[in-house]
Amino acid sequence: MKRSRIFIPVLLALTAGVFFSCKDDKPPQLDPPRAPILLAILSIGQTSVEMSWSDQSPDENGFRIERKTAAGNWETDGEVGVNVTYYAAIGLTPSTEYSFRVFSFNDAGDSDSSSNVRTITTLSNVLPPIPTLVQGTATSTTSIHVTWHKQGEPDSFQVDRRTSSGDWIELTTVSADVEQYDDTGLTPHTTYYYRVGAMNEAGTAWSEESDPVTTPIEGAPNAPSNLVAEAVMGIGVTLTWTDNSVNEDGFYLYRNISGQQFQKIDSVEADITTYFDAIGDAENIYTYRVRAFNEFGMSSEAQSAPVNYKYCSDGIIPICLGNEWRYNVEENGQDPFELRRDIVQVGYIQGYDHYLVIEYPFPIGDAVIDSTIYLRNFEGEGCKAAPFPLSGSVTSQLLFRYPIGSLGSHYFYRGDSILVISTGTTKVVGDHTFDGVVGYQRFLHGQGRSIRYWLKPGDVGIILEEEVVSSQIVLTREINDWIINN
């Protein structure tokens, strides 16, 4: 029993000695984890953001995600556990800027986050304005041209199509600056509907569906209509018509002369609805027809369009090939004689037909031509003149302004000043009385003389000329006869 009593204290003493001998040794110290890197934004929504990062620490307890708005302070958005590298922030406000950063943490504290800040703006929840005026036009038996009007500033457009009994199918997506689309590969004689969606980050705003559009049946094209023939004096005839078909290959043009058989004169390509027939000086009464054609045949004819084509220029002086004027001329100290002016040919100045007027004593006998000049009327301006002969640098200038303007007003013609001396009067010339006569006085530069012109606009032209020197009339030309073909 005594041995037992002695053994137990000794054992306790030995045991205590062991513990006491270790009381100054410290356990290993724990450090904060290394910071995550490569914070990346995976997706952005109107109210949520998904993100991921790379875990660089073997001893984190988890990760804490913080966020702040542009004007706010950092606050905890959420935490995830050890080795988790994905997080979705939810409950955000649309169209708002947010910054995010990620910490790893353990019992010793948080990692640094300076390299893991990302700033984004959540998507808008406001749809763009809907497109308007969506419409389709059949352009062939198998194609339809779709158009619409953009409203606002969408990011893009989506074009959908359906048949009368079908569901909507997506055809294409086009950029925001495009407002048309050609839908091809369709079925002839089939009705289609279209809608266009304006797209942005908030979604798609759909237009109302278009009116129905039916592709035509295969066969000869429909006949054109509203054929109009308009004479362009001295040049030719302009034809216009309405295209009533979407499957023509082109149009044939026909013309006849004064009741003769129609002859095909030309053809134009599909969708063209105008044609110019250059006739030149071939005056006559013409009638025109137009027909559409394709591989299946020709349409019926559009209504015929007649036109009385003259090589003329109507205005203050009636101008037409074959027009002539005869004047009695009296000059101081000389015997009276008759003067004749004829329009004999046409020239072109800057693309416009001008008419050559020659002047000579009548009967001609051995006399030579006294003068030549080109004339042409321009609507709203008056009668312009150019000297003979023509050259590449020649231009016509205003000789008789018409409408005439106010009394006493003036303008210039090739260095000469022209004054308006009458805006409407009655004048007796020889055996003729003329109403509505207008008058001009042309002061010849550097010559000390002037010429007074008296004109009956539209019907006759110049009825009287008076050359004046020192306020005295030294020469007169009075009209006695005229032939006007206008």
Side-chain angles (χ1 to χ4, degrees):
M1 294 298 294
K2 291 182 179 179
R3 289 181 181 177
S4 299
R5 293 191 183 107
I6 294 172
F7 176 77
I8 293 173
V10 173
L11 181 60
L12 292 172
L14 291 173
T15 305
V18 172
F19 283 103
F20 288 143
S21 65
C22 296
K23 64 181 180 180
D24 293 330
D25 294 336
K26 297 180 180 180
Q29 184 171 344
L30 182 65
D31 293 326
R34 288 196 294 270
I37 63 172
L38 303 178
L39 176 60
I41 303 300
L42 303 179
S43 69
I44 303 173
Q46 297 174 5
T47 60
S48 64
V49 175
E50 293 181 290
M51 64 197 77
S52 68
W53 56 89
S54 176
D55 182 1
Q56 299 297 300
S57 177
D59 57 354
E60 82 275 356
N61 292 343
F63 297 92
R64 183 171 66 258
I65 298 88
E66 292 185 349
R67 76 162 190 242
K68 79 178 188 71
T69 59
N73 297 318
W74 287 104
E75 60 184 34
T76 298
D77 193 85
E79 294 183 354
V80 295
V82 62
N83 295 332
V84 177
T85 58
Y86 167 84
Y87 180 75
I90 61 175
L92 306 179
T93 302
S95 302
T96 303
E97 181 181 297
Y98 289 95
S99 294
F100 292 90
R101 63 185 182 182
V102 179
F103 297 88
S104 59
F105 63 86
N106 61 17
D107 292 340
D110 295 341
S111 69
D112 178 44
S113 68
S114 61
S115 63
N116 284 290
V117 178
R118 297 291 180 266
T119 300
I120 57 90
T121 299
T122 50
L123 302 183
S124 170
N125 62 347
V126 178
L127 292 173
I130 64 173
T132 59
L133 301 178
V134 178
Q135 59 183 353
T137 303
T139 53
S140 74
T141 57
T142 59
S143 61
I144 292 176
H145 184 64
V146 184
T147 60
W148 60 90
H149 284 187
K150 178 175 73 172
Q151 305 296 322
E153 295 297 332
D155 294 336
S156 58
F157 293 107
Q158 178 177 316
V159 183
D160 286 6
R161 179 191 70 210
R162 72 174 180 88
T163 58
S164 299
S165 59
D167 296 327
W168 288 108
I169 61 171
E170 179 181 347
L171 297 177
T172 189
T173 299
V174 297
S175 61
D177 59 347
V178 175
E179 296 177 88
Q180 60 181 355
Y181 174 71
D182 287 305
D183 189 14
T184 59
L186 304 177
T187 303
H189 199 51
T190 303
T191 299
Y192 296 95
Y193 299 81
Y194 293 88
R195 68 177 183 180
V196 177
M199 305 170 67
N200 67 6
E201 58 192 26
T204 303
W206 289 104
S207 69
E208 296 181 357
E209 70 176 24
S210 69
D211 290 335
V213 190
T214 302
T215 51
I217 194 170
E218 291 183 333
N222 296 328
S225 61
N226 302 321
L227 176 62
V228 176
E230 182 177 2
V232 181
M233 290 181 297
I235 302 176
V237 176
T238 297
L239 303 177
T240 59
W241 61 89
T242 300
D243 180 1
N244 297 315
S245 181
V246 298
N247 63 336
E248 80 276 359
D249 292 335
F251 296 92
Y252 290 134
L253 288 307
Y254 300 85
R255 180 187 67 203
N256 77 358
I257 301 175
S258 301
Q260 299 176 11
Q261 292 290 327
F262 278 92
Q263 302 291 327
K264 184 168 70 174
I265 58 173
D266 209 343
S267 65
V268 296
E269 296 179 354
D271 300 326
I272 294 177
T273 56
T274 184
Y275 178 79
F276 184 75
D277 187 16
I279 297 177
D281 60 358
E283 295 184 348
N284 218 312
I285 297 176
Y286 297 94
T287 303
Y288 293 88
R289 290 177 179 174
V290 60
R291 302 176 74 173
F293 67 89
N294 65 13
E295 60 181 316
F296 297 100
M298 288 192 296
S299 71
S300 57
E301 298 165 345
Q303 182 178 356
S304 299
V307 61
N308 187 3
Y309 175 75
K310 293 182 178 181
Y311 210 36
C312 304
S313 174
D314 295 328
I316 187 170
I317 297 178
I319 299 171
C320 203
L321 285 177
N323 285 5
E324 65 178 63
W325 298 264
R326 295 186 185 184
Y327 298 88
N328 292 324
V329 181
E330 293 187 7
E331 187 173 1
N332 291 348
Q334 297 186 16
D335 294 332
F337 66 93
E338 188 174 63
L339 179 73
R340 178 170 168 174
R341 291 173 179 159
D342 291 347
I343 297 180
V344 295
Q345 68 180 44
V346 178
Y348 288 86
I349 302 174
Q350 295 180 317
Y352 291 99
D353 50 306
H354 287 64
Y355 299 79
L356 181 62
V357 181
I358 62 171
E359 178 181 284
Y360 51 89
F362 184 82
I364 295 178
D366 296 329
V368 296
I369 294 175
D370 285 347
S371 65
T372 54
I373 192 172
Y374 283 96
L375 298 176
R376 189 190 197 277
N377 293 295
F378 288 82
E379 185 176 357
E381 298 182 64
C383 184
K384 293 185 178 182
F388 176 89
L390 297 180
S391 68
S393 61
V394 168
T395 60
S396 58
Q397 295 185 17
L398 188 62
L399 178 58
F400 298 118
R401 185 173 66 191
Y402 195 76
I404 192 169
S406 59
L407 186 66
S409 61
H410 74 282
Y411 55 96
F412 292 92
Y413 170 77
R414 301 193 183 278
D416 299 339
S417 177
I418 299 181
L419 180 70
V420 175
I421 58 176
S422 174
T423 58
T425 187
T426 298
K427 206 159 189 70
V428 177
V429 180
D431 297 331
H432 307 284
T433 300
F434 300 96
D435 296 323
V437 174
V438 298
Y440 307 81
Q441 187 164 2
R442 175 182 175 186
F443 296 90
L444 303 176
H445 180 70
Q447 299 187 31
R449 64 190 180 99
S450 64
I451 303 175
R452 296 175 187 153
Y453 297 96
W454 303 91
L455 293 90
K456 171 61 176 171
D459 298 332
V460 183
I462 299 173
I463 60 173
L464 174 65
E465 295 176 6
E466 299 170 323
E467 293 194 20
V468 180
V469 177
S470 299
S471 300
Q472 299 294 318
I473 297 175
V474 298
L475 183 148
T476 61
R477 300 181 185 91
E478 296 184 347
I479 196 162
N480 63 37
D481 197 9
W482 58 93
I483 298 174
I484 304 298
N485 295 314
N486 292 63

